[in-house]
Amino acid sequence: MTFSGQVDRADWLLESWSEKGAVEECLKDFVGWHSDIIELVKNVDTLNKWGLFVRPSLDTWSNGRVTLLGDACHSMLPYLGQGVNMALEDAAVLARCLDDQPNDLAAAFQTYQDLRLDRTTKVAKSAAGMLPVFHNQALTTPETAGDYIKTQWAPQATAARYDWIYQYDATTVPLH
């Protein structure tokens, strides 16, 4: 079994995907949580921990014969689950730009960046904007959580939140 939990902490500075955690430390982070969560943590064999950091998107993604895509130029928080999707979209658009301008890498890279920069920046900002939605105080008690969930995950709320993301097609976006 695996689980992921998030704790808001201003004192986390270490950037690592393999930092070992301790059950005792994790239990301190979840004081007052449901007993099922406490039991889950108590029975973990291996804990790893990592911080979530907000990085500004790069203004320039290319230099000479090298260009970047995905987290290398526009990292994002996981709250919309779009990090990998943006990298796949980047790859699709980049491939199309290279196919369209095979003899001019600089032009192909510039077209790719011009087509992707605004979208990836908007998605990254939207993902960061989900923090108060997922970490809302209304979710801390059963008395307020139900109504909050009904408003935040009603069909019209989820359509407004996600449709603009999913309606984009990297395979058909005009290159010119």
Side-chain angles (χ1 to χ4, degrees), residues 18-170:
S18 59
E19 177 72 10
K20 296 297 179 199
V23 170
E24 298 75 26
E25 179 184 18
C26 192
L27 285 170
K28 288 178 188 174
D29 288 331
F30 291 96
V31 169
W33 281 61
H34 191 278
S35 61
D36 290 349
I37 300 299
I38 302 304
E39 284 303 310
L40 177 75
V41 173
K42 284 181 180 178
N43 288 288
V44 170
D45 292 326
T46 304
L47 280 173
N48 290 305
K49 57 185 181 175
W50 60 91
L52 299 177
F53 298 95
V54 177
R55 302 276 186 246
S57 295
L58 298 179
D59 294 327
T60 302
W61 297 2
S62 305
N63 186 0
R65 298 175 53 85
V66 175
T67 194
L68 302 172
L69 60 79
D71 280 351
C73 52
H74 52 72
S75 66
M76 59 188 66
L77 294 171
Y79 300 124
L80 287 176
Q82 291 301 305
V84 170
N85 293 341
M86 291 302 103
L88 291 171
E89 286 182 7
D90 286 353
V93 171
L94 177 58
R96 292 178 59 225
C97 290
L98 290 169
D99 189 49
D100 186 58
Q101 298 171 303
N103 299 317
D104 190 348
L105 287 180
F109 290 166
Q110 189 61 52
T111 300
Y112 152 68
Q113 178 181 303
D114 291 346
L115 289 170
R116 298 295 299 151
L117 187 60
D118 288 345
R119 175 166 170 79
T120 57
T121 299
K122 182 178 178 184
V123 173
K125 287 181 179 178
S126 296
M130 291 301 294
L131 178 69
V133 174
F134 288 128
H135 292 228
N136 195 285
Q137 281 298 110
L139 293 169
T140 61
T141 66
E143 297 76 33
T144 57
D147 287 338
Y148 180 77
I149 290 168
K150 284 178 190 172
T151 62
Q152 290 301 310
W153 284 274
Q156 58 272 35
T158 56
R161 185 178 296 135
Y162 302 119
D163 282 358
W164 69 272
I165 295 171
Y166 298 125
Q167 291 170 352
Y168 179 91
D169 186 346

